[in-house]
Amino acid sequence: MDFPEDFSAFKRLIDLAYPIGLNTPVYPGDPAITIYKQATIEKSGYALSQWDVNFHTGTHMDAPSHFISDGASISALGPSLWMGKALVIPCAGKKTIGMDCINIETIRADVDFLLFKTSWEYQYGTPAYFSNHPTFSDELGQWLAASPFKGIGMDMPSPDQAPYPIHQLILGAGMVLIENLRNLDQLPENKLFQLICIPLPIEAEAVWVRPLAVLPLL
């Protein structure tokens, strides 16, 4: 990832993550978020909290081990995977996202991440968000799995529904999936920008992330 010596040339940072708290929607069937106050400033002079929440809540990254039995966990993936050149793929209004959304001419060999902008983020917080979101076609999933990307992101909870064939294709290819993104409408379409998406090195199949799009000044 090539940054200029003067990083101030890139002053526009777009936060692509949802905040996580008691009101964060969870996938149907998953337990609600619980926060235990183990210590408070009033009683102990300091605050200490324990959270009960799974790693697939809110904006998060899936590692191959989420669906592949011998796949890498988050902590086993190399740091070069956490940043690179990204491209937004506009596909709003489609129930099935297929190859018709892909403009091959705009996808250069140095693209690391494709972020699919479905505008489904505007359903966030509604029951439809999890149950009726768009899905990727098998053809698109196969094309993505055969491509040399580091990861695929989207502004919806999943690229598929049970039994999750797209998860298996993409994660089986060694990529990561970044789900529940937001603010993709603030990013340029069909124009490269830098994406930084660094997870904690947790030995798990997924983890929360805070992706940042790094854009040049207007």
Side-chain angles (χ1 to χ4, degrees), residues 74-75 198-202 207-209:
I74 291 292
S75 62
I198 302 176
L200 294 172
I202 291 177
V207 69
W208 312 298
V209 288

Side-chain angles (χ1 to χ4, degrees), residues 50-187:
Q50 177 179 319
W51 286 49
D52 186 357
V53 53
N54 77 52
F55 288 133
H56 298 269
T57 302
T59 305
H60 67 275
M61 176 185 290
D62 290 346
S65 60
H66 183 31
F67 273 88
I68 309 303
S69 59
D70 60 348
S73 66
I74 291 292
S75 62
L77 297 172
S80 64
L81 192 65
W82 312 136
M83 57 186 68
K85 296 175 181 177
L87 191 68
V88 168
I89 305 297
C91 49
K94 292 182 175 292
K95 183 63 177 174
T96 300
I97 302 167
M99 288 300 298
D100 58 318
C101 293
I102 302 295
N103 183 350
I104 300 295
E105 295 179 356
T106 67
I107 301 179
R108 297 169 14 186
D110 58 349
V111 174
D112 298 303
F113 298 91
L114 293 185
L115 307 184
F116 286 82
K117 184 179 72 173
T118 71
S119 294
W120 198 249
E121 68 172 277
Y122 296 107
Q123 298 293 327
Y124 190 76
T126 72
Y129 182 76
F130 292 109
S131 63
N132 199 33
H133 61 80
T135 55
F136 289 6
S137 70
D138 289 340
E139 182 185 15
L140 176 60
Q142 291 165 4
W143 179 81
L144 292 171
S147 302
F149 303 121
K150 294 181 179 180
I152 307 299
M154 64 213 71
D155 56 356
M156 55 184 186
S158 174
D160 52 12
Q161 300 277 6
Y164 307 107
I166 306 301
H167 268 84
Q168 295 175 47
L169 281 170
I170 294 175
L171 298 178
M175 301 180 204
V176 296
L177 279 171
I178 310 168
E179 298 169 327
N180 297 322
L181 292 171
R182 68 169 180 169
N183 295 331
L184 296 191
D185 283 344
Q186 298 184 35
L187 305 180

Side-chain angles (χ1 to χ4, degrees), residues 3-4 7-14 186-188 191-194 213-218:
F3 283 127
F7 190 77
S8 64
F10 290 96
K11 285 190 175 177
R12 295 180 61 210
L13 295 178
I14 307 298
Q186 298 184 35
L187 305 180
K191 185 176 180 181
L192 289 180
F193 58 91
Q194 298 286 355
V214 186
L215 305 179
L217 293 173
L218 292 174

